[in-house]
Amino acid sequence: MLAIALPIGFGLIVLALLLNLYRLLRGPTLPDRALALDTMYINAIALIVLYGIATDGKLYFEAGMLIALIGFVSTVAVAKYMTRGDIIE
Amino acid sequence: MEHLIIAPILIPAFAGMLLLLEVRERQPLRRLTGLVSALALIPVAVGLYLRAAGGDILVYQLGDWAAPFGIVLVLDKLSALMVLLTSLLALPALIYASRADDKRGANFHALFQLQLMGINGAFLTGDLFNLFVFFEVLLIASYGLALHGRGPARVKAGIHYVVLNLIGSALFLVALGLVYGTTGTLNMADFAVKVRELDGGALELARIAGLLMWVVFGLKAALFPLYFWLPATYANATAGVAALFAIMTKVGVYAIARVQGLAFLDGPLAGLGRDALWVLALLTLLLAAIGVLGARRLGEMVAYLVVMSVGTLMAGLSWGSPEATGAMLYYLIHSTLVCGGLFLLADLVARGRGKLGDQLVAGPAPAGRSGLAALFFLGAIAVIGLPPLSGFMGKVALLQTVPSPLYWLFLLGGGLLALVGMSRAGSTLFWRATGDGRARRLDRPRLAATVLLLSAAPALAIWGESVLEATVAAAAQWAQPGLYIEAVLGGGA
Amino acid sequence: MSRLLPFPMLSLLLWLSWLLLNGFSWGHGLLGLVLAVVLPLGTRPFWPNVPRLRDFPKLVRFVLVVHWDIITANVVVARLILGSPRKLRPAFVELPLELTDDFAITLLASTISLTPGTVSADVSEDRRTLLIHALDMDDEAELVAQIKQRYERPLKEIFEC
Amino acid sequence: MNLAILVLLPFLGAALPPLAERLRAPRTALALSAALMPALALALLIGPAGQVFEGRTVQDALSWMPSLGLTLAFRLDGLALLFALLVLGIGLLVILYARYYLSANEKAGRFYAFLLLFMGAMLGVVTSDNLLLLVLFWELTSLSSFLLIGFWSHQSAARKGARMALTVTGMGGLALLAGVLLIGQVVGSYSLDQALASGDLIRASRLYPLILVLVLLGIFTKSAQFPFHFWLPHAMAAPTPVSAYLHSATMVKAGVFLLARFYPMLAGTDLWFDLVTLAGMATLLWGAAAALFQHDLKGLLAYSTISHLGLITLLFGLNTELAAVAAVFHIINHATFKASLFMAAGIIDHETGTRDMRRINGLWKYMPYTAVLAMVASAAMAGVPLLNGFLSKEMFFAETLQSSRLGAMSWVLPLGATLGGVFSVAYSARFIHDVFFNGEPVNLPKFPPHEPPRYMKVPVEILVALCVAVGVLPAITVSGLLAVAGSATLGGELPEYHLSIWHGFNVPLLMSVVALVGGVAVYSLRRWLYTQYDRLPAINANLIFEGRVQALARAATALGNTLRNGSLQSYAAWLLALVALVLLVHLSPAAIDGTRGLLPLDGVALLAGAMLVVAALITAVLHRHRMTAIMSVSVVGLVVSLTFVRLSAPDLALTQLSVEVVTVLLLMLAMYFLPVRTRMESGVLRVSRDLLLSVVIGGGVGLMAFAMMTSDFQTISGYFLDNAKPGGGGTNVVNVILVDFRGFDTFGEITVLGIAAMGIYALLRDLDLLSARSDSVGRPWARDAHPLVLVTISRPLLPLALLISVYIFLRGHNLPGGGFIAGLITSVALLLQYVASGVEWVHRRMPGDYHPVVAVGLLLAGVTGLGSWFFGHPFLTSTFDHVHWPLVGEFELASAMLFDTGVFLTVVGATLLMLANLGKLSLLDDKKGGA
Amino acid sequence: MDQVVEFLVSAAILVGGVFALVGSIGLARLPDFYLRLHGPTKASTLGVGGTILASLLFFSWQERALQLQEVLIALFLFITAPVSAHMLAKAAMHRDLKRREDTRGRPWKQ
Amino acid sequence: MEAMVAIMIAVLVGTGVYLVLRARTFPVILGITLLSYGVNLFVFISGRLALDQAPIVGRGPATDPLPQALVLTAIVIGFAMTAFLVVLALRGQGETGTDHVDGDADEGGQR
Ligand code: NA
Ligand code: NA
């Protein structure tokens, strides 16, 4: 059962990533692209967690945790750049 | 285990760190720290050289891990010679910079020390990836130093310098990937052993790895067509920095010599890229000589002289015989010290001419004209290769050991072009002076530093035989990679 | 005690996190404890205003409610997204705030963003109004009331009097 | 007696006059200080001279650079003695003369110093017994004469003349060096002695023509032989004592000296005859004819010198022993009369203020004594009987009659010789008539001229006396010296010859008569000749040469600028083209010959790969939209991280992810000051070139990657896997490599990071940057600088992130993680505080200078490394132990952890030093702009 | 592996995957930025949540002990994701991005 | 999988090269970044590819750890260099008023 669910899960998330990429490419505005990138980061977490299940190991858990913890900082920086120009004032 | 071997790396490293710790910007303290370190390097380097001159190749296994698994430092005659040369160049350059230039920006002394760390590391390491790391150390420090001070020209030149070297670093990594991917090792000696056993596709890849290394080292050495960054970078750098940079191109030459001597003297890749290097070296020589002739600033002229020396050296190296390499090393020592001195001299001249700086146009005579003129005359004679100074000995040695009509033509013809260029420059700066400029006295420590470096020319002539014997001995050892390999892989393990 | 543990909740969170990360052992329990004390102390200057937790059980309840809402509303939102975009009724809604504590306001804003269908878009300079964007809003008053009742009130009880 | 000391004396002497000048010695004392060493040398020469006259060759050698074949070897034979006497003797006279010639305000000390340097060099040339040493001194004469010619450096003519002389003779010197090296190659030694004995070997060598041409290039340039003669007249810009010395007796004679010196080595072949005779004849005629038309006194003498040098050269070219002796004889004679003439010309210049013969007339009335001296010397130059010039010219005429090498054309030589004689007489006549008679002076700057100071005439008197003495009593005065010099030149027995005034009525005498009569006739036709000459286009060698040099320099600058055009992209293109070339030439698909089994490709990997490809391409295509490009690069970074996850590299994934965040922060900080869009700037051609390079290099690297991945190899990495735990105390092999096996790399790496931070700090200090006052669409910036939600969330995130840092750090040795990643997490958490709350807010809460953090980090790593010294181990040797504590249980303590702490601190310090300072930039900007 | 656990894990994976996809579909197809903002911040959190739940179950079963590390991912994500959304919304309002005409209320001037 | 990775490397290096050759500092920075990604991957794969074989002792078969350590070092150094270049570009912008680097001839002429 897991042998079927996992590939499907991978497929769904990769599909999601591709849609994110489409939005990033398409825009049309900068916030759209930033949002797309942010979403990609989040989907990447899902991918990494799934990979952990698939390989029966927890070596990659930290990678997911890292994204969750500090991945948003780049989104914040981009957003702040858009509103204030200066991200560290 | 002789800890002295690592001292040329650790002394400036720790000095640099301590300088960084000194947050209150007490310039005298910083100068003292820097100068003490630079001074300390000289006896250390002399000591190391004397050890190496005995004929043994000394290996220092970092972390006590045996080669090829750990990183080793290797002290042979060649590396000892280069470390010694660096220390001899560094002290006057630092003295010169410590008069005032060091205050024109932040962190000068720390950067200077760490630059020395990088240079010495590159000379001593016996590991290819570690060579990459030390390249990066010396590069990043040199970026900082090249940009020390201010001015758009300096920044522009700096950007060129930095970007080209970043591309160079990327290429170096590709080469290292290929080295590891084909031979499964990073230790130079081990690589030398294993590359001889390759065949088929792996051999093809190893060949490309070697050639890429030549490109990367050629960029550092400033070979045609990779030297274009150099004139602006060097001519725009602070004088003491430019003087220190005189050794930087030699790091490239050394790296080629080192890898070639170990891995490509014989075996399936014997003489790798030698013909191409030969042609490029000759072109470098010629184009740099033309550059000397066409230079419009003294600093630029000296920078081209540096490039010219690289062409001269690389041709000598790519000739491939131990004798030619010995002569090349003598010339290397000469050109490094003399060009370093000329950079300082150019700055002394520029300082005395006010707004005109070192531009080669008639203007007020610089302060201390006759003294400067005499120094310029001396330096020019030396660097052009006229007797009775070291340049002449070096050129004769090269001409004797590289019996190629083409080389003779380029070397002598290049010398002639440089003669024309430098005589014009000297005539314009010192003879065509429109009245004496500001009557300020020359700064004595600056003058002393300049004289110290330029005095290499007579010194290397007077004691030429000892120096030449030393370089020939270093080359002889270089030409027997077996000794090195045995010392690294056989002994300590 | 408050000198040593300026933010007990944070310390607890840190300690629990440490144990989550490393699994439970005496060693890690001890080390986690050290960290749970040292880290808040070290970062003390970064917390100018201390949010005081008044009611721990209510906090647990609140967390559970939010999670439940996330799950249920997710289904709703999924349907909206997959359905025809024409049917969506987007709206900007201004939510008058009763909360006054920065931390509590932030929690409310985050909660609103986490629960499907709404995103908190801005907090007014005077911190009296929260701007919310809703994906599909039926009735503004109803939405405001729902948020106030489900999230703001508990938060007020948890953090303020 | 040590010959080396003899040569050294003038060099030592060069130090005295400047010293004396510094001590404000009077002019006479200055001159005496200059004369001291040459006089001493002359005295010391007496001893060895005696030996030479006894037929011995005095030799002396010191070792210098034996590996080069360069020894300080000297020899004194007849030829060397002759020249040594000329150099020292005339040198002393010139010093005496210069005492009066130089005006009080000139730097006489320097002048004498240069003169003595030259003297020493010249002495070295003539006494060298080592070919390389000879070249060395040869070049020294060029250099010191450069200084002498340019002595009046305020005059443009002097500067240009000096440079021209140096360039031409310098070129010759290089050729000579090449020639000498080839001789050394053939002979197997640079000993002159051996080389002289190996004449047959050299002439038989395949290299002989090349050697000859190179050596002759040196000789001809130095001796101003056609077509290299043009520099000499312009060297007349030198003070007259210099001309009297260099251009009569010494420097230009160095060339003919070498002809004599190398005569036994190189002469005797047809090629020698053709080259040397031809050049000599051309020079003889050209110089003689041109001399007549000079209005400048020194110009006349200069061309006359050229002509006489041609004569001497021609004689050497004739390949007969007698001709060689005649040549040596003429060297002596020319030196004496020409030096005296130069001095006389200098006196006239000195007294009248001009050297223009059109203005100088009738000086007989004003300075009869000088006139007599000059007229005698001129007569000697013309070859009038009873004067020394007559004797050698007679021998010259005779020798031209003997040659048969030209076969039926042999008459050309005597004819040319006679013609040369005719002109020689004509210009000598002019020197006498035009200067001392020919009416009254015209408009002299100094009037009336009178006799010079007494002692200024002494040198001229001595020289003229010598002319007469030799001319009248050759057998007594000069024959001994000529004999030893001649035999030394020939390197063997002298031929039969007689130095006598009267040889009877013979063809040479007839030629002399023709020359005298013809010369007078030509001179009487001078007005017509001058008008004819003036119709010829004027050629100013100085202008031409200077023009050539300038054109060359301009071309050089232009070429330099073409190559080094200031375009980073063209430099980068050269670099990358070189790489492309390497790949195109050496990489073939055949490199893919591995047999390693391939890993299966799954859909996820395929799609992820496609994502990377698309994102990279977007970056390249949309790079002008900078923000978009930054985001697409982030996607690439993300996929690369995921690739590391997939390909078993968790440490790399973590590192890549955290570096990514910091990089984006960095770029966003920078974007505040940079344009948002890049203008379209590249043309189609440029884009195609770049695309080509991209495809070749990208494709090549990809191909190599594939070749590598598909082939098996032997690697040392098994050692690391085996020893990580037992030797390094950690199970995360990557980390153990980083902090232990290859800790030195890491030490260097964090140093790089630290230096970069320092360099960035330095770059940012007082950087003036205009920041954008509004966003890219022109809207003013938002008011809310510190959004509440962001600020509030950033607070608890700091301790949380620190906790995670500790976690990542501690597990690093055994599981993915380590100091570097931990450091980055901490940095990001701290940076978030900056972003959320601003620099000032943060700096009120923690120190803002991160230099010490970097320093402490680096020092910690370094000191940890040093620690192993105390246990007798090399730098960075690690140690670890398992410790058991009650309650806590067993845990490991490793020195590598300490090292890793250093890494951690360095990373935090460096990252913050970089980014916080970059963030602070805008504060400066605000203060400045008051916005 | 126990069928039940396996089923639960599989279900969680599928739920996670589906919601991740749905969120991204929203991002891709919704007509204005403010609408698109809802997709990822909602669905992706549950998307990740699903996979994390799967992972928790899977490893806890595997190790026969409660494995809750992954909870931290969710915790961090729940803390940080709203901030991203909030900041992006502010950016969008600052830029006065087009919104669907029938949107009620108005964004605030920044 | 190998072909996929090779293509990724090729594209990264290729786009990196292309961007490095643009006329302004900003695309050059991007180019260097992409180039670094490509090159890091290249060094990484010199240890050959392996799935689920992280080099942790005691977890069964392990891939080659050495290239990973090398790449880690390269990433750090690359980050330092990129940061320096970015700030240098700012300095250039500040001192020359432009980030154009495809310069005019004759800059050796003046200081
Ligand atoms: Na800022
Ligand atoms: Na006259």
Side-chain angles (χ1 to χ4, degrees), chain B residues 126-468:
Chain B
D127 185 279
L128 278 170
F129 191 82
N130 195 239
L131 179 66
F132 165 79
V133 171
F134 275 113
F135 262 22
E136 299 303 304
V137 172
L138 71 88
L139 279 174
I140 186 79
S142 76
Y143 301 160
L145 287 174
L147 288 154
H148 178 76
R150 60 185 70 223
R154 191 168 295 183
V155 172
K156 211 164 174 187
I159 292 176
H160 292 187
Y161 177 57
V162 172
V163 171
L164 287 175
N165 276 300
L166 287 181
I167 301 174
S169 299
L171 295 172
F172 199 176
L173 280 175
V174 173
L176 289 172
L178 289 170
V179 163
Y180 184 75
T182 52
T183 60
T185 191
L186 295 165
N187 180 281
M188 292 184 193
D190 200 28
F191 172 68
V193 171
K194 293 196 173 141
V195 81
R196 286 173 166 82
E197 296 158 5
L198 294 180
D199 56 12
L203 185 65
E204 198 166 309
L205 294 182
R207 175 181 293 122
I208 292 171
L211 291 171
L212 283 180
M213 277 194 254
W214 289 178
V215 172
V216 175
F217 301 158
L219 176 70
K220 307 268 184 292
L223 266 187
F224 175 83
L226 309 173
Y227 72 76
F228 305 128
W229 57 270
L230 188 141
T233 307
Y234 281 35
N236 286 310
T238 310
V241 172
L244 181 65
F245 280 8
I247 190 87
M248 294 262 289
T249 51
K250 275 60 174 192
V251 178
V253 176
Y254 168 84
I256 294 181
R258 176 53 81 208
V259 176
Q260 191 189 63
L262 278 177
F264 303 127
L265 277 190
D266 50 63
L269 295 179
L272 177 74
R274 192 178 281 165
D275 295 341
L277 285 176
W278 168 255
V279 171
L280 293 182
L282 291 185
L283 280 172
T284 309
L285 182 51
L286 178 69
L287 290 169
I290 291 174
V292 170
L293 185 62
R296 284 187 279 175
R297 281 175 48 194
L298 190 54
E300 190 191 353
M301 185 174 271
V302 183
Y304 270 119
L305 286 167
V306 169
V307 180
M308 221 176 129
S309 74
V310 167
T312 308
L313 297 171
M314 278 311 304
L317 179 61
S318 53
W319 186 255
S321 73
E323 294 78 20
T325 305
M328 180 283 274
L329 288 173
Y330 177 91
Y331 195 84
L332 184 149
I333 297 171
H334 142 81
S335 69
T336 305
L337 295 174
V338 170
C339 287
L342 282 175
F343 275 122
L344 298 186
L345 183 63
D347 189 64
L348 276 182
V349 172
R351 278 172 193 281
R353 279 163 45 100
K355 259 190 281 180
L356 281 178
D358 64 346
Q359 287 184 61
L360 296 177
V361 291
R369 155 154 68 162
S370 46
L372 290 183
L375 279 178
F376 181 81
F377 192 62
L378 184 97
I381 290 174
V383 82
I384 294 167
L386 289 176
L389 301 178
S390 50
F392 178 73
M393 319 312 186
K395 277 200 177 164
V396 168
L398 280 167
L399 290 169
Q400 284 178 352
T401 51
V402 185
S404 145
L406 208 58
Y407 186 57
W408 284 31
L409 185 67
F410 277 61
L411 194 56
L412 295 175
L416 185 64
L417 288 179
L419 171 76
V420 174
M422 292 209 80
S423 63
R424 287 186 80 206
S427 163
T428 305
L429 291 171
F430 301 110
W431 280 356
R432 252 173 83 196
T434 55
D436 281 315
R438 285 174 292 169
R440 266 190 317 131
R441 288 181 66 83
L442 281 172
D443 182 74
R444 286 194 179 270
R446 283 204 187 105
L447 187 63
T450 313
V451 169
L452 214 55
L453 280 179
L454 287 178
S455 65
L460 286 172
I462 294 171
W463 293 286
E465 182 64 15
S466 325
V467 178
L468 189 59

Side-chain angles (χ1 to χ4, degrees), chain D residues 565 567-569 596 599 609 626 648 656 660 679 681-682 686 690 708 711 717 731 733 749 763 820, chain F residues 1-2 4 18 21-22 24 37 48 50 52-53 55 57 64 68 73 76 91 99-102 104:
Chain D
N565 55 4
S567 157
L568 169 60
Q569 279 59 40
R596 191 183 161 91
L599 294 177
R626 293 184 169 185
S648 321
Q656 184 70 61
E660 196 66 32
R679 275 188 296 142
E681 283 170 319
S682 308
R686 173 75 176 271
D690 298 346
M708 237 170 15
S711 61
S717 64
T731 53
V733 187
E749 162 207 318
L763 275 182
F820 183 77
Chain F
M1 189 69 98
E2 277 80 0
M4 180 74 232
Y18 180 80
L21 291 170
R22 300 302 94 209
R24 290 186 177 254
Y37 286 147
R48 310 303 189 259
D52 196 20
Q53 296 184 7
V57 175
D64 192 339
Q68 294 193 15
T73 303
V76 179
R91 181 103 213 169
D99 63 346
H100 191 89
V101 281
D102 201 7
D104 43 301

Side-chain angles (χ1 to χ4, degrees), chain D residues 98-155:
Chain D
R99 152 67 185 83
Y100 296 96
Y101 182 85
L102 293 177
S103 60
N105 57 3
E106 284 179 300
K107 301 209 164 167
R110 185 184 298 175
F111 179 82
Y112 290 128
F114 292 167
L115 199 72
L116 287 169
L117 281 182
F118 175 80
M119 187 185 285
M122 199 60 212
L123 213 51
V125 168
V126 300
T127 57
S128 287
D129 196 15
N130 177 286
L131 291 172
L132 289 174
L133 189 65
L134 191 152
V135 174
L136 185 148
F137 283 121
W138 177 276
E139 294 282 46
L140 275 185
T141 62
S142 297
L143 288 169
S144 45
S145 71
F146 169 76
L147 295 173
L148 284 167
I149 298 170
F151 183 70
W152 283 330
S153 59
H154 53 277
Q155 293 177 359

